[in-house]
């Protein structure tokens, strides 16, 4: 969900997962994540942070926990099964299509049990402010945008089938015995 321009209405559309600003060279990196610690100050991201913020709806996300020399997949999601709104930034890519990167932050709550970082999940009251293209000041954004409370998150182990992109079915989110 994003505003294609400052005065354009909000749209829900598809964007490329991989961020590369239109001014970047062809071999420039295409990160899928941007850290909250640097997104507002990095030359690569700060323009998008100020003017091109977006939201990605999700049921949850996967992380991998090292267990006995292997990695066990876990699904992290809301306890109440409601959608999670993940904060992102977007830019028109050199090919003219929009591309985005998810913002990540130090893990909070139960997410810390699985991985040191997590996507920036926003509470419902912050969504409109996050998308407001007229809010451009970092400190103002920090004051009006808030995390989804960490105690609303849960996780469980899931099948390692999630490791293969050819697997895409509802069984991928079902709990397995750990």
């Amino acid at each position: 969900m994003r505003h294609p321009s400052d005065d354009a209405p909000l749209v829900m559309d598809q964007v490329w997962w991989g961020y590369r600003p239109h001014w970047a060279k062809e071999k420039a990196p295409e990160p899928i994540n941007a850290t909250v610690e640097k997104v507002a100050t990095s030359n690569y991201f700060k323009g998008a942070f100020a003017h091109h913020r977006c939201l990605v709806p999700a049921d949850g996300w996967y992380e991998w926990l090292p267990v006995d020399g292997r990695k066990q997949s876990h699904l992290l999601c809301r306890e109440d099964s409601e959608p999670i709104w993940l904060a992102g930034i977007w830019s028109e890519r050199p090919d003219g299509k929009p591309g985005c990167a998810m913002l990540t932050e130090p893990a909070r709550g139960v997410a810390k049990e699985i991985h040191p970082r997590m996507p920036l999940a926003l509470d419902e009251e912050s969504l409109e402010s996050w998308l407001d293209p007229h809010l451009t000041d970092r400190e103002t954004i920090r004051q009006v945008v808030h995390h989804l409370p960490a105690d609303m998150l849960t996780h469980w182990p899931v099948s390692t089938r999630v490791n293969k992109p050819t697997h895409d079915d509802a069984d991928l989110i079902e709990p397995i015995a750990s």
Side-chain angles (χ1 to χ4, degrees), residues 59-140:
D59 292 325
W61 72 92
Y62 297 108
E63 293 293 355
W64 289 262
L65 178 66
V67 177
D68 299 329
R70 61 180 183 82
K71 291 186 176 182
Q72 174 59 59
S73 312
H74 279 249
L75 176 71
L76 291 99
C77 60
R78 285 179 57 150
E79 279 191 339
D80 60 8
S81 301
E82 290 295 313
I84 298 173
W85 291 96
L86 304 175
I89 56 170
W90 70 274
S91 180
E92 188 172 298
R93 298 160 39 94
D95 63 8
K97 297 176 183 170
C100 75
M102 309 294 287
L103 272 61
T104 65
E105 65 176 348
R108 300 176 295 109
V110 297
K112 286 194 298 191
E113 298 170 12
I114 308 299
H115 195 272
R117 296 197 67 82
M118 65 183 275
L120 174 57
L122 301 180
D123 73 355
E124 283 82 6
E125 290 78 32
S126 297
L127 304 181
E128 190 175 325
S129 295
W130 178 254
L131 291 171
D132 186 342
H134 303 290
L135 281 180
T136 60
D137 176 68
R138 177 184 189 183
E139 288 309 314
T140 303

Side-chain angles (χ1 to χ4, degrees):
M1 186 175 299
R2 67 190 180 96
H3 289 281
S5 67
D6 284 359
D7 298 320
L10 192 60
V11 297
M12 178 76 88
D13 61 353
Q14 293 184 2
V15 297
W16 183 261
W17 192 24
Y19 173 89
R20 184 188 306 154
H22 68 279
W23 50 262
K25 296 192 184 323
E26 186 176 323
K27 297 207 185 262
E30 275 186 89
I32 58 173
N33 295 324
T35 66
V36 295
E37 295 88 348
K38 295 181 182 176
V39 71
T41 58
S42 161
N43 286 336
Y44 205 66
F45 299 121
K46 68 182 177 183
F49 178 77
H51 300 284
H52 291 149
R53 294 181 304 276
C54 62
L55 289 168
V56 177
D59 292 325
W61 72 92
Y62 297 108
E63 293 293 355
W64 289 262
L65 178 66
V67 177
D68 299 329
R70 61 180 183 82
K71 291 186 176 182
Q72 174 59 59
S73 312
H74 279 249
L75 176 71
L76 291 99
C77 60
R78 285 179 57 150
E79 279 191 339
D80 60 8
S81 301
E82 290 295 313
I84 298 173
W85 291 96
L86 304 175
I89 56 170
W90 70 274
S91 180
E92 188 172 298
R93 298 160 39 94
D95 63 8
K97 297 176 183 170
C100 75
M102 309 294 287
L103 272 61
T104 65
E105 65 176 348
R108 300 176 295 109
V110 297
K112 286 194 298 191
E113 298 170 12
I114 308 299
H115 195 272
R117 296 197 67 82
M118 65 183 275
L120 174 57
L122 301 180
D123 73 355
E124 283 82 6
E125 290 78 32
S126 297
L127 304 181
E128 190 175 325
S129 295
W130 178 254
L131 291 171
D132 186 342
H134 303 290
L135 281 180
T136 60
D137 176 68
R138 177 184 189 183
E139 288 309 314
T140 303
I141 294 167
R142 279 185 175 176
Q143 290 174 10
V144 298
V145 174
H146 305 286
H147 303 270
L148 181 71
D151 63 358
M152 293 181 77
L153 297 175
T154 190
H155 69 87
W156 55 80
V158 294
S159 169
T160 56
R161 291 180 60 241
V162 303
N163 298 337
K164 294 187 181 176
T166 55
H167 298 151
D168 187 15
D169 57 71
D171 290 343
L172 297 180
I173 63 171
E174 292 299 319
I176 62 165
S178 52

